[in-house]
Amino acid sequence: MRDAFVFITILGSLPVCFIRPWIGILVFAWISYMNPHRYTWGAAFDFPFAKIVAIVTVVGMFLTNDKMALPKTRETILIVVLGLYFTFTNFYALNPELAWLQWEKVMKILIMTLVTMILINSQQKLKYLIMVIAFSIGFLGIKGGIFSLVTGGEFMVFGPAGSFLADNNDMALALNMVLPILYYLAKNEDTKRMKNLFMITFAMSIISVIFTYSRGGFLTLAAVMTFLLLKAKRKTLAAVILIITVMAASTFIPSQWTDRIESIKTYEQDRSAMGRINAWWTAYNLAKDRPLTGGGFETFTWKAFSMYAPDRNDVHDVHSIYFEVLGEHGFVAFFMYLALMLFTLFDTRKLKRISGNNAGMKWVGNYSDMFQISIIAYMVGGMFLGRAYFDLFYHIVAMVTITKVLVLREVNSTATEYAETETRFHYSSAERSSLEI
């Protein structure tokens, strides 16, 4: 029954995805993050729904007039160059068979990121995309939160089997990245029912993060909550609510959770933690030996460890977005990848400053804050997790770029009132030109 429902729903949406390809972007995001097919047990479980929706959407994109030109920004240039560079390094991969399989997955993510920038060409469409992402991952947060409350937190929260979020650490990262999105959607929502729905999803997602038992997820959650608190207007009230929530949660959390988190202090005695450090040195040594190419995708196997690891017998996943890119593609790709994160982060600050206190630009300020904290969550959580090619990060880059384009469009549409606009938005010529880069 579930299989039939998923097949009918997704395949039935294909004509709409073709005629209105921007809706294809929403369907693709829903499949990518909620993974509805992974809740089935038949033919739908492994069916390539996302691939089919992506193909139909891209074909529709070439035929529709409802699109905009690919924004010529630093971010889009870096995404294109990174895609080309990943292809170049893969020709020198240590494990070519596995590397080209991973290359196909990463190229799909990068291409759909660029397609998103072309098809999501209005504030309303951008809001729909954000809501689809928030509720797709938020659904997993609600599901995990209910499971944790019912079982007393005795078991780990995992994502859908066979998906990007199957691992508890991946699940924690995705939830942490969506927390600020849920919070600011609630803040920006006028309808009480929707506001309450966002806040309930926000609260349940916090519970899910805690009971993933992910130590990296816990540290990332602390960073997310700190930044949300710093950006809150009523900081004292927010701090009191946070303290009460932590104190209440502490009476509910089982002892094995506490033992798991406290092991952060004694990482030298933790075999998993030391294995990660061994893998980080492996990545660094590999990049030092092959600075331009690294080892290609999927390089962290026994072959790389036998040549570059301090402890050759401890073959371990790299568990870091930074060392993952460094080891797989070398120093050039590493600095481009880092630049993509930092440029996007700087853009959120610039957009926040431009929005100022103008009521008409309130949405820009809220979006800037939520995207900024999401990126910070990715940068902090990524220190302990090998998800350098996680869809959500590239989606956020796309959405920041789209926001930047929409702000420029609004400014340019009032060319006759340019001087007034400059003053109202605190929008200097230098800032204007920097947004256009």
Side-chain angles (χ1 to χ4, degrees), residues 15 58 178 235 255 335 370 386 391 404 414 420 426:
V58 171
V178 88
K235 291 183 173 57
S255 59
F335 286 118
M370 74 181 185
D391 310 40
K404 187 163 63 170
T414 56
E420 180 185 345
H426 310 289

Side-chain angles (χ1 to χ4, degrees), residues 89-349:
T89 61
N90 232 34
F91 283 106
Y92 300 90
L94 295 178
N95 296 286
E97 187 174 343
L98 291 175
W100 286 110
L101 288 174
Q102 178 67 1
W103 175 86
E104 183 180 344
K105 296 176 185 177
V106 174
M107 289 305 109
K108 181 186 73 175
I109 291 169
L110 297 184
I111 289 170
M112 291 307 291
T113 299
L114 300 175
V115 172
T116 299
M117 294 181 188
I118 294 171
L119 293 174
I120 304 300
N121 58 356
S122 71
Q123 182 185 340
Q124 194 64 38
K125 292 175 184 176
L126 178 60
K127 182 179 179 180
Y128 288 147
L129 176 60
I130 294 169
M131 289 178 70
V132 167
I133 292 172
F135 279 129
S136 295
I137 299 177
F139 167 79
L140 304 179
I142 291 174
K143 184 173 176 288
I146 293 172
F147 172 76
S148 298
L149 293 174
V150 170
T151 60
E154 294 288 333
F155 304 98
M156 285 186 182
V157 171
F158 295 95
S163 72
F164 246 106
L165 306 179
D167 183 76
N168 65 314
N169 296 297
D170 295 326
M171 180 73 163
L173 177 63
L175 289 169
N176 274 315
M177 290 177 71
V178 88
L179 282 175
I181 297 176
L182 289 166
Y183 176 81
Y184 280 101
L185 283 175
K187 185 178 177 181
N188 213 35
E189 184 57 53
D190 297 324
T191 308
K192 187 174 181 180
R193 184 176 294 178
M194 287 299 294
K195 185 185 288 285
N196 290 339
L197 180 57
F198 283 127
M199 289 310 297
I200 290 170
T201 307
F202 174 79
M204 296 300 283
S205 295
I206 291 175
I207 294 172
S208 282
V209 171
I210 293 171
F211 290 106
T212 59
Y213 281 73
S214 169
R215 290 168 293 189
F218 178 76
L219 294 174
T220 307
L221 178 62
V224 169
M225 299 309 292
T226 299
F227 276 96
L228 286 176
L229 180 61
L230 290 173
K231 289 181 178 292
K233 288 186 177 180
R234 298 180 180 178
K235 291 183 173 57
T236 303
L237 177 61
V240 170
I241 293 173
L242 181 60
I243 291 169
I244 292 173
T245 302
V246 171
M247 290 177 65
S250 64
T251 63
F252 174 76
I253 292 172
S255 59
Q256 66 261 33
W257 184 91
T258 307
D259 295 340
R260 171 78 172 170
I261 299 304
E262 285 186 348
S263 67
I264 294 172
K265 300 175 184 177
T266 56
Y267 70 91
E268 298 95 338
Q269 302 168 24
D270 189 298
R271 186 174 179 180
S272 174
M274 296 310 294
R276 293 184 185 194
I277 293 173
N278 186 59
W280 294 352
W281 276 111
T282 303
Y284 176 73
N285 292 336
L286 197 163
K288 199 164 63 167
D289 185 48
R290 301 167 58 138
L292 295 179
T293 65
F297 287 118
E298 299 294 323
T299 196
F300 295 99
T301 62
W302 66 268
K303 188 173 183 179
F305 279 79
S306 67
M307 293 188 289
Y308 300 107
D311 182 355
R312 300 181 179 184
N313 296 317
D314 188 5
V315 179
H316 204 284
D317 188 78
V318 70
H319 282 296
S320 168
I321 59 175
Y322 307 103
F323 287 102
E324 183 177 15
V325 174
L326 181 65
E328 290 187 340
H329 308 290
F331 285 99
V332 175
F334 170 76
F335 286 118
M336 286 194 291
Y337 178 72
L338 200 59
L340 180 62
M341 285 191 284
L342 294 177
F343 284 154
T344 308
L345 200 60
F346 294 155
D347 279 345
T348 61
R349 294 186 60 189

